[in-house]
Amino acid sequence: MTHIALYDLAHARTGDKGNHANISLIAYKEEDFDWLVHQVTAEKVALHFGARKPSQVRRYVLPNLGAMNFVLDNVLDGGVNDSLNLDMHGKSLSFHLLTLRIEKP
């Protein structure tokens, strides 16, 4: 079974709200979207971010946009005002998600 990194099929954007991050995963090609939905579950994302210890990961599927949005609760070390983290906005989290390896379609 061959695996590839998400960055081969999609790009991502990150936002933050307090101590929570949301990461949008957007397929480059429409024909890859269903495969991404099948492969990139909230559970897999929670495991991939295990070191950040998210208290919950929710996935919202946006088929008209060919995208998914993942909300990761409590992953920003308290958020912008409370964190000593160098990336307090969590912008690099989108790059981390794109390193997730999935089965090749």
Side-chain angles (χ1 to χ4, degrees), residues 24-83:
S24 294
L25 182 69
I26 306 105
Y28 290 130
K29 298 178 183 173
E30 186 176 334
E31 60 266 21
D32 292 330
F33 179 67
D34 288 337
W35 184 250
L36 289 170
V37 170
H38 176 69
Q39 288 288 306
V40 187
T41 64
E43 294 78 19
K44 283 185 182 176
V45 171
L47 284 172
H48 192 65
F49 284 93
R52 305 283 316 172
K53 298 182 177 107
S55 61
Q56 182 178 11
V57 175
R58 293 180 305 283
R59 179 181 80 166
Y60 300 93
V61 179
L62 307 161
N64 290 338
L65 300 176
M68 292 178 276
N69 188 48
F70 293 90
V71 178
L72 292 80
D73 291 343
N74 302 306
V75 294
L76 296 178
D77 298 332
V80 174
N81 294 328
D82 293 333
S83 177

